[in-house]
Amino acid sequence: MITTDQQKFQAIISHAKEYGFVFPSSEIYDGLSAVYDYGPWGSELKKNIRDQWWNSMTRMHDNIVGIDAAIFMHPTTWKASGHVDNFSDPMIDNRDSKKRYRVDHLIEGYAEELNKKGHEVEADQLIADMDRLLAANDFAGLKTLIETHKIKCAVSDTCNWTDVRQFNLMFSTQLGSVAEEANEIYLRPETAQGIFVNFLNVQKTARMKIPFGIAQVGKAFRNEIVARQFIFRMREFEQMEMQFFIRPGTQKEWYAYWKEERMKWHTGLGFLAEHYRFHDHVKLAHYADAAVDIEYAFPIGWKEVEGIHSRTDFDLASHQQYSGKKMQYFDHEINQNYIPYVIETSIGLDRMFLLTLSHAYAEEKWVKEDGKEDSRVVLRIPPKLAPVKLAILPLVKKDGLPEIALDLMHQCREDFYCFYEEKDTIGKRYRRMDAIGTPFCVTIDHQTKEDQTVTVRYRDTMKQERVPLGMVRELVRSQTR
Ligand code: GAP
């Protein structure tokens, strides 16, 4: 049984692999660091999270539309966005182990150790000092902070550090067939820029009036130096971003609106409010005048799952400058031309996936009526996100029971994902469904043939009840959408 958060995290990683949620990428070649593949149930869960986000943004807001921009963009995009010059993290190398660390992660890790040893005041002071030095881009100060606290490399156990330097996180590649003529282009490090460069295309073709939003889901790539903690920090990941274009001067109220709206989305999915908190940024990104993280209590600690950023008119103004094309909007209500301001909501799909597993994973033990112990691993995934909504299980493989079960399956699968299984005992089949988070199982038995009822078994309570066969589809549909 798991007793610590660290054990829970390791258990989630093993479970995700064993039950077809997440595999290390190209595992037969020993994997690729911080790159992962999603298996049958993982891709289904990911799709459900993506759909929930997409529908909540586009279908549920009259003034938000979606796009699907290319990953490759003109290289000047990244000059204009500031990523070529600014998208870097302060890093430090240990001379003995040759291992490279992100400075903030190295210091935060040490602060966590201090906390565990009961030195909370010292830990808080250390983080406060780090935040101040990061905000001031004071690299020499950061190095001194590391040395003063004698923070050691986990591999060499020494404090033999290089100076702190900036490393750009963008991946680049060549576009064009002849190497000498090829242009260097980047794999996008955020999906947002595909929205900015299409701002006028979308505004005109979809006849949008400010305030309005453009949503997008897609892959982003970052050469993360410290890429550990499973799918929390990946080199290839998926973002769900929405840029909300507003009249300059209204950014404070829209920032507050989207903070609240996004938190409601999380808790509305069935995740616990007490596991969330806001964390205001001390060091603002080059484009922002205010920024907040929505943090979640992961088993690896409180960590960012989503960011809400007040991006001012930085991106559009910069694209206007670099492209020479007007990025302005004529506001008929006030008879004025202006470059809109932007509030961005940006959430990592993979992080939301990890959040879902962190919330859902449970190991349970109990004593049965006959005095014997029983146990299970269950994923309490919110039903609307569960990969499989309904398992349809004929008690035996004969007597016409599979036919009834398959008939139910064919009706239901138009509405939601069903899984049919006739092998093994019912108990074993329930356990397998618990392990992938299936909220409902129905068993078709001999009584079904007599009175057209089935046993429904609920994942969370393990309670069973008889319901009419004809009610199953609506019962599951109503509780999983
Ligand atoms: N467009 C703004 C932007 O990209 P960000 O805070 O760098 O902001 C937004 O990223 C979200 O993307 C994060 O809150 C996180 O959920 C996700 N994310 C960022 N880097 C990631 C990585 N290396 N692996 C997985 N998810 C990541």
Side-chain angles (χ1 to χ4, degrees), residues 55-299:
N55 290 340
S56 82
M57 281 295 176
T58 59
R59 211 186 282 175
M60 305 308 285
H61 287 96
D62 298 335
N63 57 356
I64 301 181
V65 287
I67 63 162
D68 184 8
I71 288 171
F72 291 142
M73 301 183 71
H74 192 284
T76 311
T77 309
W78 305 110
K79 191 74 193 148
S81 68
H83 283 82
V84 170
D85 296 325
N86 295 314
F87 193 55
S88 47
D89 280 329
M91 305 282 177
I92 194 164
D93 292 12
N94 183 273
R95 287 202 184 88
D96 299 323
S97 67
K98 310 275 180 273
K99 203 168 153 41
R100 179 164 294 163
Y101 294 86
R102 250 178 75 169
V103 166
D104 56 335
H105 289 174
L106 184 68
I107 297 175
E108 275 168 8
Y110 183 70
E112 247 173 64
E113 277 174 37
L114 288 175
N115 265 326
K116 279 189 199 139
K117 289 180 189 155
H119 303 307
E120 285 92 357
V121 179
E122 204 187 325
D124 288 351
Q125 184 58 50
L126 176 62
I127 295 293
D129 288 344
M130 175 187 78
D131 284 345
R132 180 176 46 76
L133 294 165
L134 281 172
N137 273 333
D138 183 348
F139 295 163
L142 283 163
K143 185 177 179 191
T144 310
L145 190 69
I146 290 169
E147 288 175 340
T148 318
H149 282 83
K150 300 195 170 54
I151 301 178
K152 289 183 180 168
C153 164
V155 178
S156 66
D157 205 32
T158 67
C159 301
N160 192 4
W161 297 110
T162 61
D163 286 343
V164 174
R165 282 172 295 174
Q166 294 275 43
F167 284 89
N168 198 293
L169 302 183
M170 281 197 294
F171 285 103
S172 65
T173 185
Q174 308 292 316
L175 185 77
S177 49
V178 186
E180 306 81 65
E181 291 167 16
N183 280 325
E184 186 181 38
I185 56 164
Y186 299 101
L187 298 187
R188 67 181 176 198
E190 63 170 10
T191 58
Q193 297 305 323
I195 295 179
F196 289 122
V197 298
N198 278 299
F199 160 68
L200 282 178
N201 283 338
V202 175
Q203 188 268 318
K204 285 184 183 144
T205 53
R207 299 159 63 84
M208 306 304 285
K209 282 204 191 94
I210 274 180
F212 76 92
I214 305 178
Q216 177 170 215
V217 180
K219 289 271 178 146
F221 304 83
R222 295 182 188 179
N223 196 2
E224 298 283 3
I225 305 298
V226 183
R228 50 188 153 85
Q229 299 171 325
F230 192 35
I231 56 172
F232 182 80
R233 195 176 302 285
M234 301 159 88
R235 295 202 162 104
E236 173 181 342
F237 58 101
E238 215 165 324
Q239 286 187 316
M240 306 189 285
E241 297 201 296
M242 194 276 302
Q243 312 296 322
F244 199 68
F245 299 92
I246 54 174
R247 202 178 275 170
T250 60
Q251 63 268 33
K252 274 212 173 103
E253 68 197 71
W254 283 115
Y255 180 65
Y257 170 86
W258 280 109
K259 264 178 80 170
E260 193 185 330
E261 189 74 3
R262 291 306 302 146
M263 194 58 107
K264 268 200 252 160
W265 181 79
H266 285 268
T267 51
L269 286 174
F271 299 112
L272 302 175
E274 60 265 34
H275 287 165
Y276 285 94
R277 72 180 185 194
F278 286 115
H279 174 79
D280 288 314
H281 284 206
V282 183
K283 182 176 190 265
L284 291 173
H286 57 275
Y287 50 72
D289 74 354
V292 67
D293 291 338
I294 295 181
E295 290 189 341
Y296 184 80
F298 287 96

Side-chain angles (χ1 to χ4, degrees), residues 354-467:
L354 182 60
L355 183 157
T356 306
L357 291 188
S358 306
H359 161 94
Y361 184 88
E363 293 180 4
E364 297 177 347
K365 246 188 192 170
W366 65 94
V367 179
K368 292 189 293 186
E369 275 169 15
D370 62 7
K372 289 190 183 142
E373 274 205 344
D374 207 349
S375 67
R376 67 171 180 164
V377 173
V378 56
L379 292 186
R380 295 171 178 276
I381 300 175
K384 54 179 128 181
L385 298 181
V388 176
K389 310 293 189 209
L390 175 67
I392 301 173
L393 316 170
L395 186 65
V396 289
K397 277 193 261 181
K398 54 184 185 183
D399 304 336
L401 303 188
E403 286 76 5
I404 301 173
L406 284 168
D407 189 41
L408 178 65
M409 160 108 164
H410 290 135
Q411 285 170 37
C412 289
R413 68 183 179 188
E414 284 184 16
D415 287 340
F416 44 79
Y417 203 121
C418 302
F419 185 84
Y420 174 85
E421 199 177 34
E422 43 182 42
K423 265 192 239 119
D424 283 333
T425 63
I426 281 291
K428 278 192 182 155
R429 284 184 265 172
Y430 284 160
R431 287 292 178 277
R432 278 202 291 272
M433 288 300 112
D434 286 344
I436 65 164
T438 305
F440 304 98
C441 294
V442 288
T443 304
I444 317 292
D445 56 19
H446 293 95
Q447 196 184 326
T448 310
K449 282 169 55 174
E450 285 161 26
D451 64 4
Q452 297 291 300
T453 64
V454 293
T455 301
V456 174
R457 188 257 192 189
Y458 299 92
R459 175 195 71 195
D460 292 346
T461 57
M462 292 192 282
K463 291 251 157 60
Q464 302 185 14
E465 64 176 346
R466 286 277 339 153
V467 303

Side-chain angles (χ1 to χ4, degrees), residues 195-204 208-214 243-252 254 287 289 309-320 325-332 334 336-344:
I195 295 179
F196 289 122
V197 298
N198 278 299
F199 160 68
L200 282 178
N201 283 338
V202 175
Q203 188 268 318
K204 285 184 183 144
M208 306 304 285
K209 282 204 191 94
I210 274 180
F212 76 92
I214 305 178
Q243 312 296 322
F244 199 68
F245 299 92
I246 54 174
R247 202 178 275 170
T250 60
Q251 63 268 33
K252 274 212 173 103
W254 283 115
Y287 50 72
D289 74 354
H309 312 124
S310 174
R311 289 183 82 127
T312 65
D313 61 355
F314 173 86
D315 301 88
L316 290 180
S318 189
H319 286 305
Q320 174 168 293
K325 310 271 169 20
K326 284 241 175 305
M327 286 288 180
Q328 293 186 348
Y329 170 83
F330 183 72
D331 193 329
H332 287 275
I334 55 171
Q336 260 182 38
N337 243 329
Y338 54 79
I339 298 179
Y341 269 42
V342 170
I343 303 296
E344 166 183 75

Side-chain angles (χ1 to χ4, degrees), residues 23-26 31-37 230 233-236:
F23 308 126
S25 158
S26 30
L32 184 64
S33 161
V35 185
Y36 290 90
D37 298 337
F230 192 35
R233 195 176 302 285
M234 301 159 88
R235 295 202 162 104
E236 173 181 342

